[in-house]
Amino acid sequence: MKNILKGKVVLVTGASRGIGRHIAIEMAKEGAAVAVNYLKDDNGAKETLALLNSEGVYAKAYKADVRNFKDAKDMIENVIKYFGKIDILVNNAGISKIGLFMDQCTADYDEIFDANFRSVFNCTNAAVKYMVDKKKGCIINISSIWGNAGASCEVLYSASKGAVNSFTKALGKELAPSNIRVNAISPGVIDTSMNSVFSNEDIKSIKDEIPMMRFGRSDEIGKLAVFLASDNASYITSQIITIDGGML
Ligand code: NAP
């Protein structure tokens, strides 16, 4: 452990598995205390907590629906009450949905945008009020390469991540004078349950499109999040950082 985040408190949304869990673990390895948010997966959250405890850091789980403004606000207030502060917010929770655009209805729009963008608004709005007061803070949004490039059959998903990207760039500029950095990580295809919809044949053809010829790992996203959260990234804000094995 190099402890570059020692003394920091981080909240990771959607940390019961996948990328969120590994961001939490990599932050803990660097000494941060971690608040673990999730929605349904009690066992997954328990597993994440056990992994964090084995790193010897303070950790606590918060079951809250980040699509809901009050739930998100209450969660942030409870994190500040329990841990004494919040230094780093990682907006990771999200969902994907694959299908032709012409088959999508307004319920699909609400489902995707509530999970992928309203959630970012909700948590950030609550955390920023505290951070501006302290004149200190760091926000990391988990976007997607499809938010930059657009993906066929993932039009709403791509649009929701495009919104996350613009939000990141604009808010970073607005909050820079308050000493708060706002960045996004834009992953390519990462080996998580989000991609369990793909057949073996799909997986092979996706890998063929990736110059590194493999999916990314969640811990690789976690290590980038640690860098962005640390003082090593002290002059980086309003950026969308792609991590995709050369795919785009
Ligand atoms: P995942 O394995 O499906 O995990 C999603 C996490 O989000 C789970 O912990 C889930 O919690 C949580 N979550 C979903 N809706 C929530 C809500 N309303 N409130 C609180 N928590 C909620 O997904 P992943 O692959 O790790 O993806 C994480 C993020 O990375 C997403 O934003 C995704 O768009 C982005 N991303 C993923 C990939 C990829 O290839 N995997 C690529 C680019 C970007 P519960 O299970 O408890 O409900």
Side-chain angles (χ1 to χ4, degrees), residues 46-248:
K46 267 189 209 145
E47 240 172 80
T48 303
L49 275 190
L51 291 162
L52 296 175
N53 289 333
S54 71
E55 296 295 336
V57 299
Y58 284 109
K60 188 169 162 51
Y62 293 85
K63 184 170 184 158
D65 187 346
V66 291
R67 294 171 298 186
N68 179 286
F69 184 74
K70 187 173 179 317
D71 285 12
K73 186 168 172 282
D74 288 351
M75 172 177 67
I76 305 262
E77 285 172 4
N78 287 332
V79 168
I80 293 167
K81 230 182 261 168
Y82 181 81
F83 289 92
K85 60 176 183 167
I86 182 168
D87 299 296
I88 303 153
L89 167 65
V90 182
N91 287 308
N92 164 77
I95 60 167
S96 74
K97 215 169 182 191
I98 294 177
L100 287 176
F101 176 71
M102 62 188 220
D103 294 335
Q104 311 285 301
C105 60
T106 55
D108 297 306
Y109 173 91
D110 289 343
E111 194 183 346
I112 288 277
F113 269 79
D114 284 0
N116 292 357
F117 185 60
R118 187 184 290 272
S119 60
V120 174
F121 170 84
N122 288 343
C123 294
T124 307
N125 188 268
V128 147
K129 285 176 182 146
Y130 172 85
M131 289 175 176
V132 165
D133 232 31
K134 298 285 169 202
K135 289 241 172 297
K136 213 173 156 198
C138 173
I139 296 163
I140 299 170
N141 299 320
I142 305 303
S143 181
S144 161
I145 51 167
W146 305 128
N148 313 347
S152 164
C153 295
E154 289 190 83
V155 172
L156 290 174
Y157 179 80
S158 301
S160 69
K161 295 298 189 178
V164 170
N165 289 352
S166 305
F167 176 90
T168 302
K169 290 185 214 170
L171 190 66
K173 288 173 183 164
E174 186 169 315
L175 294 181
S178 299
N179 193 31
I180 299 164
R181 295 185 297 105
V182 187
N183 292 293
I185 292 176
S186 180
V189 188
I190 309 302
D191 191 8
T192 73
S193 61
M194 190 172 268
N195 292 316
S196 56
V197 289
F198 294 124
S199 66
N200 285 342
E201 205 182 313
D202 290 337
I203 290 172
K204 193 188 165 306
S205 67
I206 296 168
K207 284 184 181 168
D208 283 345
E209 286 174 42
I210 303 172
M212 284 194 175
M213 295 178 299
R214 65 170 177 89
F215 287 2
R217 298 189 315 268
S218 294
D219 67 286
E220 292 174 314
I221 307 300
K223 288 181 175 76
L224 177 54
V226 165
F227 168 71
L228 286 175
S230 75
D231 287 344
N232 292 330
S234 53
Y235 199 51
I236 300 178
T237 198
S238 281
Q239 301 305 306
I240 317 298
I241 316 284
T242 295
I243 169 165
D244 68 351
M247 191 173 185
L248 275 197

